[in-house]
Amino acid sequence: MTDVVKLERHDAIAIVTVDSPPVNALSAAVRRGISETVKQAIADPAVQAIVLTCAGRTFIAGADITEFGKPPQSPGLGEVITELENSPKPIVAAIHGTALGGGLEVALGCHFRVAVKDARLGLPEVKLGLLPGAGGTQRLPRAVGPELAVKMIVGGDPIGAAEALQHGLIDEIVEATAAGGEAFARKVLAEQRGLRRLRDDDSKLQAAKTDRSIFTQAVASMTKKARGLEAPFAAADAVGAAIDLPFDEGLKQERDGFMKLVTGEQSKAQRYAFFAEREAAKVSVPDGTKPRPVARVAIIGAGTMGGGIAMSFANAGIPVTLIETGEQQLKRGLGVMQKNYDATAARGGIPADAPAKRMALINGVVGLEHVKDADLVIEAVFETMAVKKEVFTAIDAYAKPGAVLASNTSYLNIDEIAQVTKRPEDVLGMHFFSPANVMKLCEIVRADKTAPDALLTAVAIARKIAKVPAVVGVCDGFVGNRMLAARGKQAERLLFEGALPQQVDAVVTKFGMPMGPFAMGDLAGLDIGWRSRKDRGIKSEIADALCEAGRFGQKTGKGYYKYEAGSRAPLPDPEVEALINDTLSKLGLKRREVSDEEILERMMYPMINEGARILEEGIAARPSDIDVIWLYGYGWPIYRGGPMYYADQVGLKHVAERLSYYAKATNDPTLEPAPLLARLAAEGGSFATLTQRAKAA
């Protein structure tokens, strides 16, 4: 018995219980505890079978990733699993909560597995830029067959107990973990069942050995969205080794693949992102502050954003009142939601009965007075200050005391919005990203008078609906859009200097972003910016010329690119190049050769510079919060960790020098390094050291 693993005997059954809160991660102490207690149970002549279970809210939820990159401590996980597998006495893994990563690998080393009905089992290492490193890629295909193994290992998503039972990953669904595991162990003894050691069972691999396409088609399906990532392909190779090689040779290939990934730059970035996401949910509020209870939610506006937000709540099983000003707008919004759900169900993304269940949670009504019972009100109306103020004045009149009032604005000043209410302490921003039912980020905007418990409420509810919250301060565009504007300015200037839209976009997508700035402009609609510029008396000659020619983007079939009927694929258009040349000629400007390297630096470094200003101003609390915003709101490639992490990898001295160079070369003083960036560069520091100093303080 150890501090974190306990052994007790119920006559012939030994119960080994891991108790290492919060998630029973496989630290060195847990590994050692399992090894020692199982050896004790094997050595005890009175023990005939062993049940491995966990205390707390979950089974073993994975490896202790804080140990990655540090000197290994004995015993290794693979060693412990081999000890379990080689036990002469049957070992039953009794699973509740989640058995993830190393936790599932431990269970796969046992001879039998049982789980409660709401348990989840998976090997999500690929999401940290890794592959399972303790036999998971070799044992799981033998347990469930290579098709499901590829889905679980290369895709990284867990499965439920019912599916696990159907495919042979578990042997039985039980009511309670320890009691169910013990009852199953007694059944194994009574029926004198033989020990199933997965390493020796190739029966579920035979079909793929005969027809390799079973495996290759599964891999093709799971890697089609893995552009730029190394781990999914390495994981697929490791599963392939289970089909092609004897167990021990496959195990060696898996280990080699794991070691290569764990020391690589991609996994380091992905592990950084994992911790950054968790750090972002930590908010600076007085000790003892608790979120307000939220039982009822009201959303104002059934358009694209309001509808997407309502779907996010319904997806999480939370009832929502969706409010519009007229029956027609409400009917249209509800129809779009129904269509979206039906389409997702048709492609197998949600169960066939899910659309009806989720739509039943959305109560569509007309009239702002219907906010009266809501604990949280989210406004998602047209993005102008006058409209927002009008709506918040009405909300203030109707909403009950203590309700949190949130605006889904992407740019506007929350302090100004809060001023029209008699309760500015209840007002904050909840900036969802489009499509809101898909995108994970929620920028939570802390206004000057936002109460700490209101802020915590927004963070808690965002997490409850599976969003990644990041708290930001009030400024134009907050964090994400403010940095995006810095990039947009450079993208526009590059066209005036000689680059073409397709060249700029190609560099940005090669870097790993899902879209370049010009394809993104076409998707959003160029007329929106055109109208805004007209209102402000601003010119942008190339973009204005496109709009004057009726090129508004995808909706008109032509913008910076042309689009064939029914297609969203951007195609370079010679007419655009001619239009750019004509515009530059009128302005007396000559095109020059612009290198891909310059484009990359001018797309990324001004954003980093703006990020440094954001940190200086206290708009973001941590560099990692900025990275979370870009990872989950703007499609920054996770294997590059986020813009501030990327800046550290490039080196802040280099970033600062190049910004100074471009400031002079393009006569743009806004590109001069921000004071924080200049200071860190001069000190040989990094944004990571800034975070470490803040933690130390």
Side-chain angles (χ1 to χ4, degrees):
M1 184 179 293
T2 70
D3 289 342
V4 291
V5 184
K6 297 174 176 59
L7 174 65
E8 52 185 307
R9 185 158 62 80
H10 298 174
D11 54 76
I13 310 296
I15 311 291
V16 173
T17 305
V18 179
D19 188 2
S20 181
V23 293
N24 297 314
L26 284 159
S27 63
V30 169
R31 298 194 302 272
R32 191 162 51 248
I34 293 172
S35 176
E36 289 173 5
T37 49
V38 168
K39 282 175 183 171
Q40 279 179 257
I42 291 170
D44 185 343
V47 170
Q48 294 179 43
I50 301 163
V51 175
L52 176 63
T53 188
C54 292
R57 58 188 170 93
T58 185
F59 190 71
I60 299 164
D64 183 351
I65 70 170
T66 60
E67 291 185 5
F68 291 173
K70 295 177 182 175
Q73 293 185 57
S74 186
L77 181 55
E79 190 183 328
V80 174
I81 292 169
T82 300
E83 288 173 358
L84 297 173
E85 196 166 46
N86 289 341
S87 165
K89 299 176 180 180
I91 302 182
V92 179
I95 298 164
H96 73 293
T98 55
L100 299 176
L104 182 55
E105 288 180 300
V106 166
L108 288 166
C110 299
H111 309 114
F112 304 97
R113 287 159 294 283
V114 298
V116 297
K117 65 180 179 181
D118 59 353
R120 306 281 290 166
L121 302 90
L123 293 173
E125 285 87 346
V126 72
K127 295 184 178 182
L128 294 176
L130 298 169
L131 54 79
T137 66
Q138 305 306 296
R139 290 188 180 90
L140 187 65
R142 288 170 164 84
V144 302
E147 281 181 282
L148 181 56
V150 165
K151 186 178 175 185
M152 292 175 69
I153 295 171
V154 179
D157 290 328
I159 62 171
E163 191 175 355
L165 179 66
Q166 179 190 341
H167 290 276
L169 180 52
I170 61 172
D171 299 280
E172 195 172 278
I173 291 176
V174 295
E175 286 295 319
T177 318
E182 185 178 332
F184 188 84
R186 294 187 189 282
K187 190 189 298 185
V188 167
L189 294 175
E191 295 172 3
Q192 297 184 318
R193 292 194 193 185
L195 306 187
R196 187 188 179 201
R197 294 186 173 94
L198 286 171
R199 64 178 296 146
D200 300 327
D201 185 354
D202 282 2
S203 58
K204 290 194 175 179
L205 301 178
Q206 294 310 311
K209 284 178 185 282
T210 305
D211 180 4
R212 182 83 179 174
S213 70
I214 292 171
F215 167 70
T216 54
Q217 284 174 15
V219 170
S221 171
M222 292 312 302
T223 54
K224 62 187 175 187
K225 291 184 179 176
R227 182 173 68 96
L229 290 164
E230 295 168 356
F233 298 96
D237 288 346
V239 175
I243 300 167
D244 300 332
L245 301 174
F247 182 84
D248 287 325
E249 287 181 38
L251 209 58
K252 182 181 181 305
Q253 184 165 319
E254 174 194 87
R255 193 67 194 160
D256 290 346
F258 176 85
M259 293 309 296
K260 185 178 177 185
L261 290 172
V262 80
T263 55
E265 293 306 316
Q266 286 203 1
S267 180
K268 287 176 187 172
Q270 288 179 252
R271 294 188 325 254
Y272 163 84
F274 175 86
F275 286 114
E277 180 185 332
R278 276 144 190 78
E279 199 69 20
K282 297 174 185 173
V283 185
S284 176
V285 292
D287 288 346
T289 306
K290 288 187 167 57
R292 303 176 191 179
V294 175
R296 297 183 183 185
V297 178
I299 294 163
I300 301 169
T304 303
M305 287 307 300
I309 297 166
M311 289 174 74
S312 297
F313 280 94
N315 294 347
I318 298 171
V320 62
T321 300
L322 184 63
I323 300 168
E324 256 298 352
T325 53
E327 286 288 352
Q328 197 174 348
Q329 298 97 310
L330 181 64
K331 190 177 177 183
R332 188 189 307 120
L334 290 169
V336 169
M337 282 180 264
Q338 182 73 59
K339 191 176 170 185
N340 285 341
Y341 276 137
D342 289 344
T344 307
R347 62 174 181 265
I350 54 175
D353 62 348
K357 286 181 178 175
R358 295 183 189 185
M359 286 302 295
L361 291 168
I362 301 169
N363 176 33
V365 294
V366 172
L368 290 174
E369 65 275 12
H370 292 285
V371 303
K372 66 183 188 306
D373 296 324
D375 303 299
L376 169 66
V377 181
I378 301 173
E379 162 275 309
V381 302
F382 198 65
E383 185 76 349
T384 66
M385 184 59 82
V387 176
K388 302 278 189 193
K389 285 182 173 180
E390 186 183 333
V391 169
F392 267 81
T393 301
I395 296 173
D396 189 39
Y398 292 120
K400 69 181 183 182
V404 175
L405 313 181
S407 173
N408 175 53
T409 179
S410 51
Y411 283 96
L412 300 176
N413 188 318
I414 302 291
D415 290 325
E416 198 177 327
I417 293 170
Q419 282 171 8
V420 304
T421 74
K422 298 182 185 70
R423 45 172 123 181
E425 69 280 0
D426 294 335
V427 179
L428 46 74
M430 288 185 76
H431 175 208
F432 292 84
F433 284 68
S434 186
N437 53 306
V438 175
M439 298 297 286
K440 288 183 71 176
L441 180 69
C442 183
E443 269 185 324
I444 297 184
V445 189
R446 174 191 245 154
D448 184 44
K449 293 184 179 174
T450 302
D453 63 338
L455 188 71
L456 277 194
T457 305
V459 170
I461 204 74
R463 295 186 76 186
K464 199 169 183 180
I465 61 171
K467 301 301 178 192
V468 177
V471 175
V472 301
V474 174
C475 67
D476 186 44
F478 313 128
V479 170
N481 283 337
R482 178 171 161 180
M483 291 170 70
L484 188 67
R487 189 186 79 174
K489 181 182 173 186
Q490 291 305 308
E492 189 177 13
R493 289 195 68 151
L494 282 164
L495 295 190
F496 285 91
E497 292 173 38
L500 290 171
Q502 59 266 30
Q503 184 191 2
V504 175
D505 282 0
V507 169
V508 172
T509 53
K510 185 181 178 185
F511 179 81
M513 299 295 290
M515 295 179 87
F518 297 107
M520 195 166 79
D522 277 0
L523 176 63
L526 304 182
D527 52 324
I528 298 167
W530 187 37
R531 282 199 301 271
S532 173
R533 287 192 299 276
K534 280 181 177 177
D535 290 344
R536 292 176 292 152
I538 295 171
K539 286 189 175 183
S540 177
E541 289 86 355
I542 293 172
D544 292 349
L546 287 169
C547 290
E548 284 157 12
R551 304 183 71 105
F552 295 157
Q554 285 190 16
K555 57 187 164 190
T556 56
K558 53 188 180 179
Y560 283 106
Y561 298 93
K562 60 182 177 182
Y563 300 86
E564 291 179 350
S567 171
R568 289 175 173 265
L571 302 171
D573 191 344
E575 285 183 20
V576 173
E577 186 171 356
L579 183 146
I580 290 171
N581 286 335
D582 184 48
T583 303
L584 296 189
S585 178
K586 286 175 184 172
L587 294 170
L589 299 172
K590 285 187 179 177
R591 285 178 65 185
R592 64 175 175 87
E593 194 74 29
V594 184
S595 70
D596 286 358
E597 182 184 12
E598 177 180 345
I599 290 171
L600 182 63
E601 290 180 342
R602 288 178 64 182
M603 289 293 90
M604 303 303 160
Y605 295 179
M607 288 203 304
I608 292 161
N609 206 27
E610 201 62 38
R613 291 190 185 102
I614 283 165
L615 289 168
E616 281 178 298
E617 295 167 22
I619 300 298
R622 296 166 281 246
S624 58
D625 289 358
I626 294 175
D627 288 333
V628 163
I629 286 165
W630 273 83
L631 286 165
Y632 295 110
Y634 296 86
W636 185 279
I638 197 160
Y639 56 85
R640 296 194 192 275
M644 312 316 276
Y645 178 90
Y646 171 71
D648 281 353
Q649 308 318 300
V650 172
L652 298 194
K653 186 171 184 290
H654 175 75
V655 173
E657 285 173 353
R658 296 306 289 162
L659 281 166
S660 279
Y661 168 78
Y662 289 122
K664 293 174 180 66
T666 65
N667 193 28
D668 182 358
T670 65
L671 290 178
E672 285 291 351
L676 175 63
L677 177 57
R679 176 167 60 78
L680 289 171
E683 293 171 356
S686 64
F687 291 116
T689 58
L690 195 69
T691 303
Q692 287 154 12
R693 281 182 214 156
K695 282 183 179 176

